[in-house]
Amino acid sequence: MLARYMAGAVAARTGDEMSGPALLVTGLAVTGSPLLASSVLAGLTVSAAVGGPLLGVLLDRARRPGRVLGWCLAGYAGGLLTVVGGMAAQVPGAVLVGVAVVTGLLGPALTGGWTAQLPLVAGPARLERATAFDSMSYNVAGLAGPALVGVIASAGGGVMAALVSVAMLVAALPAAHGLPSAGSRSAAGEGGAPKAGGDGRAAGWRVVREEVRAGFRVIAANGVLRRATVASMVSCCGLAMVVVSAPVLGARLSGESGHGALLLAVIAAGGLVANAMLSGTSRWAGSQAAGSQAAGLQAAGTAVLGAGVVVMACSQAYWMAVVGAAVAGAGEGPQLTALFAVRHREAPARLRGQVFTTGASLKITSFAIGSAVAGPLAAYSVSLALLTGAALQAVAVAVLVVRRRTSAIDAADTAAGGG
């Protein structure tokens, strides 16, 4: 069951990772400017702020959450297909952005939606190791997705790369439909929220509103979870600038925008290698000692990510950009693992799905903001766009380090006063 889950998660996330670079390469080829492509990408991601929390409630309350995931995958694939066809047919940009916004409502299902179902598949005995594998799957998808886009776009164009992205999403449908039913939550130790009955739609919507609020409240009230979430949002906004700038940087340094997508694959490869080098990853992810160190690892990873982006911004040759991308990936991989460790340690079991999908939606929305800003910046100066992304990584580090030190000082003062 776990192997089937991982296969579906990798396929869905690879299709998701392919979709952004494929849209960017297609838009750049059609218009010659990154502005339309970045606007469509921003539209695809901005609506996640609404879609993520609602999807979390639906998944937590559904008797067959796999079917909900399946419908989300199918809808997302259909939306991507519509956007790519519209680009090729020179449909007005406003229409394409509108379709992308509607499609983006389903985006969190490809990330947090899968992770939220992991306890149903693994059970408490294997959850720590399964969490480590699940974290690694993001790096695998991030490596395979942009690499496939780079190769396919160089051989057959951006439209072909987008079609392969859609095919990957469709390939994940059987694994989604095969996920266990919600009745096995008790076996997984999750004790999910009670399901709403079929009577009284008004009462049902009140429950949904309360559960959405509960997901946001638990993030806001828990200082460790709040800092990790805010820092991940700021960092993701900066990472969006790297994603949007990569095809432009690749075209500037090598004459081929598809080579820019390969830079994103290098970032993912760096993250995969860095995570693999973390000794005892599964034990670290589930231990209390590791949980106390997670914020430090997240801060260190974010700092390394920013340093790699600076190298990319200053690159005068393609090989220099590759080196910068590898450094950035070496920070981005452990950063994500640390974030997952914080969520699993700090989130209440009953609201774990809400915490993961809400956290994913907040990151995706931050990515949308970064994409929207990065388009005009990259059109003016790709180096300026990348340096802005690096500056945001520095802000994210400050969120983690400064607030953590302030909390430690306050705790020490409280202890001294109490003595």
Side-chain angles (χ1 to χ4, degrees), residues 38-62:
S38 64
S39 298
V40 171
L41 184 58
L44 188 67
T45 51
V46 72
S47 55
V50 176
L54 292 178
L55 283 173
V57 174
L58 289 174
L59 289 169
D60 282 343
R61 299 177 67 83

Side-chain angles (χ1 to χ4, degrees), residues 19-31:
S19 63
L23 289 177
L24 291 171
V25 172
T26 301
L28 192 60
V30 170
T31 66

Side-chain angles (χ1 to χ4, degrees), residues 11-152:
R13 289 164 183 165
T14 300
D16 185 34
E17 291 288 345
M18 290 182 67
S19 63
L23 289 177
L24 291 171
V25 172
T26 301
L28 192 60
V30 170
T31 66
S33 168
L35 188 57
L36 172 63
S38 64
S39 298
V40 171
L41 184 58
L44 188 67
T45 51
V46 72
S47 55
V50 176
L54 292 178
L55 283 173
V57 174
L58 289 174
L59 289 169
D60 282 343
R61 299 177 67 83
R63 291 183 175 86
R64 293 296 303 272
R67 293 184 179 180
V68 177
L69 280 179
W71 282 112
C72 291
L73 284 168
Y76 197 82
L80 285 179
L81 200 59
T82 302
V83 171
V84 172
M87 279 185 173
Q90 305 268 329
V91 172
V95 176
L96 296 178
V97 172
V99 175
V101 168
V102 175
T103 304
L105 291 170
L106 307 174
L110 309 182
T111 52
W114 281 95
T115 301
Q117 307 311 310
L118 189 58
L120 300 182
V121 177
R126 297 189 298 166
L127 182 58
E128 292 180 7
R129 183 170 297 276
T131 299
F133 284 131
D134 190 55
S135 177
M136 298 286 282
S137 74
Y138 285 88
N139 297 126
V140 173
L143 171 61
L148 286 172
V149 171
V151 172
I152 296 171

